[in-house]
Amino acid sequence: MATMQDSSATQVSSAVMTHPRRRERAEGLARRLGLDAVVVDPSPDEAPSALRTAVRAWQAIGPGASHHLVVQDDVSASAGFLSQVAGAVAGHPTEALAFYTHWNSRNGAAVRLAALAGAAWVRGVPEEFTPTQAVCLPAAQAEAFHRYARGSTEVHDDEILSELLRRAGRMSLLAVPNVVEHLDTDSISGHAWHGVRRSACLVDAAGVGDLLGSGRVLESVDCLPYMRRGAAHLRVEGPDGVLGTRGHARWRDALPATGLAPEQLRELVRGHRPADTAAAVARHFGAPYADELWIHCLLLGWRAACLAPRFAPPAGQDPLGGLGERIRDTAVSTIGVGGLPPDVRHLVPSDGSRLLTEYAWTGVRAGRTLAGPAPRSTRSAAAPAPAGHTTLRP
């Protein structure tokens, strides 16, 4: 068994799960990353089921291993991936650890929020699937997964893992700098309709392993701005502290629960949204998307600024160290493209992606001002917008 070992004798065994038609790719991935085993779908002629193969992959834990890592065959990672996993496991030995998040999911949005706030990890959203492209579990939890899942009629391993974690009352930790990317491949499980499924915050750089081992955790995301189907949404927990549903609330409907007033947002739209950039985004991606994206980024910037004091180190230091700027830039760069409908994401050219990133940053920066004392309005809601800015009605 090829294992990763630290001073505490932590040992991590590993496997890549695959289908016979992609076995060659899986074997190449295992060689490049130094993974222990390749686990193939035991019934490839039956209806597609990621869970069927996952059960076998989680059973492939090595003798004496304290943790087990399972990677799917349609991902890429750097040659230092196992060292990054080792650092993460050493820092969080009792946690389920996920090293990838989908850029158009609530978990991906949570990763961006944590990145802007200064956290290296964030607790997964309980009502959403757990991204299983690359997950490491403590040995006892890996064994619990295959016992729990082997009798299920579910076909999605990510749903079953979330179900198991919810029952335990502790969702996975999501790496804020994702270290695994999802590749554009044919979808054996029928997920092609999701379109391009990139990482929310892929950062491959020296020092990531250390950060994942020592960086702090954002434990609670009780107010989460996220994009869904091209529209801004808000996940806000109720008075009892439990959301407990898979429902989605548009930002207008959820705003009263945040303590923000619509007029505060209108003021920022009138005073901070750049008309030229907004017009360019509207021209290429539609005016409704330009409006919704900016409001999302504004709420994201606000919420991140509210959380940032929790992670603030001594004056002048970045809570994410030398990788902080890169992590934040990467997180913001995936908002615009990731929030588009699945059938158009792959059509966005590089200059379109840069435009969306520039636009997203203007919203994030404007939203940060909401974390301080609410500014007093100097104009009525009907007052004209300043020259050079676009009017948006929240």
Side-chain angles (χ1 to χ4, degrees):
M1 175 179 65
T3 60
M4 297 165 285
Q5 187 168 352
D6 68 5
S7 59
S8 301
T10 297
Q11 293 185 337
V12 184
S13 61
S14 55
V16 54
M17 52 182 277
T18 191
H19 187 275
R21 77 184 195 210
R22 296 212 297 233
R23 181 165 188 157
E24 184 176 352
R25 174 188 297 159
E27 290 173 344
L29 180 65
R31 285 193 300 271
R32 287 193 301 277
L33 300 185
L35 305 178
D36 295 325
V38 174
V39 177
V40 183
D41 185 344
S43 304
D45 296 328
E46 295 183 10
S49 170
L51 183 61
R52 184 170 58 228
T53 311
V55 169
R56 294 289 187 93
W58 287 110
Q59 284 179 312
I61 184 169
S66 62
H67 295 73
H68 190 52
L69 169 72
V70 171
V71 177
Q72 296 185 2
D73 63 10
D74 54 353
V75 304
S76 66
S78 73
F81 174 56
L82 290 186
S83 294
Q84 294 165 342
V85 173
V89 167
H92 308 280
T94 64
E95 301 282 1
L97 303 176
F99 297 93
Y100 161 88
T101 48
H102 179 13
W103 64 359
N104 190 35
S105 65
R106 280 169 283 189
N107 279 324
V111 159
R112 295 191 191 98
L113 176 61
L116 291 170
W121 294 90
V122 60
R123 187 69 62 185
V125 176
E127 67 274 11
E128 190 172 70
F129 67 91
T130 297
T132 51
Q133 279 74 11
V135 172
C136 189
L137 300 179
Q141 203 166 36
E143 293 167 357
F145 177 87
H146 71 72
R147 286 197 306 270
Y148 182 78
R150 62 191 174 195
S152 175
T153 58
E154 175 65 71
V155 298
H156 302 298
D157 61 327
D158 50 8
E159 296 284 3
I160 286 294
L161 182 54
S162 268
E163 190 175 304
L164 180 66
L165 294 172
R166 277 194 298 271
R167 284 173 173 257
R170 196 171 183 83
M171 302 307 291
S172 67
L173 289 185
L174 311 171
V176 170
N178 288 183
V179 292
V180 169
E181 181 62 287
H182 186 270
L183 300 176
D184 296 329
T185 61
D186 58 321
S187 178
I188 294 172
S189 299
H191 289 155
W193 67 273
H194 285 294
V196 179
R197 289 171 282 159
R198 290 280 186 258
S199 159
C201 187
L202 180 68
V203 178
D204 180 14
V208 167
D210 292 339
L211 179 61
L212 294 179
S214 60
R216 296 179 60 189
V217 177
L218 175 56
E219 280 285 357
S220 174
V221 184
D222 55 355
C223 181
L224 176 65
Y226 65 98
M227 292 290 289
R228 180 175 184 267
R229 297 181 179 175
H233 287 69
L234 270 172
R235 176 192 183 275
V236 182
E237 291 186 349
D240 60 353
V242 179
L243 189 137
T245 71
R246 303 198 73 157
H248 299 275
R250 294 288 293 272
W251 68 269
R252 291 176 178 83
D253 299 324
L255 193 66
T258 68
L260 295 176
E263 179 57 21
Q264 291 176 271
L265 273 62
R266 294 189 187 101
E267 284 287 318
L268 289 177
V269 170
R270 287 194 291 262
H272 292 270
R273 192 167 79 138
D276 53 351
T277 311
V281 172
R283 185 165 59 252
H284 290 287
F285 305 101
Y289 187 68
D291 289 351
E292 292 290 306
L293 178 60
W294 206 80
I295 286 292
H296 164 72
C297 292
L298 185 141
L299 292 169
L300 179 64
W302 158 68
R303 193 63 193 140
C306 291
L307 295 170
R310 301 184 189 180
F311 306 100
Q317 296 182 17
D318 191 314
L320 296 174
L323 293 173
E325 184 175 357
R326 180 169 176 178
I327 290 171
R328 290 185 290 272
D329 285 344
T330 302
V332 174
S333 75
T334 66
I335 300 173
V337 179
L340 287 166
D343 58 340
V344 300
R345 289 183 204 132
H346 68 287
L347 301 175
V348 179
S350 57
D351 57 346
S353 180
R354 286 192 295 270
L355 170 66
L356 289 170
T357 300
E358 175 189 350
Y359 185 62
W361 267 120
T362 67
V364 169
R365 292 182 181 117
R368 289 171 177 165
T369 66
L370 287 170
R376 294 184 62 184
S377 176
T378 57
R379 296 187 302 273
S380 70
H389 291 77
T390 302
T391 300
L392 174 68
R393 293 188 178 276

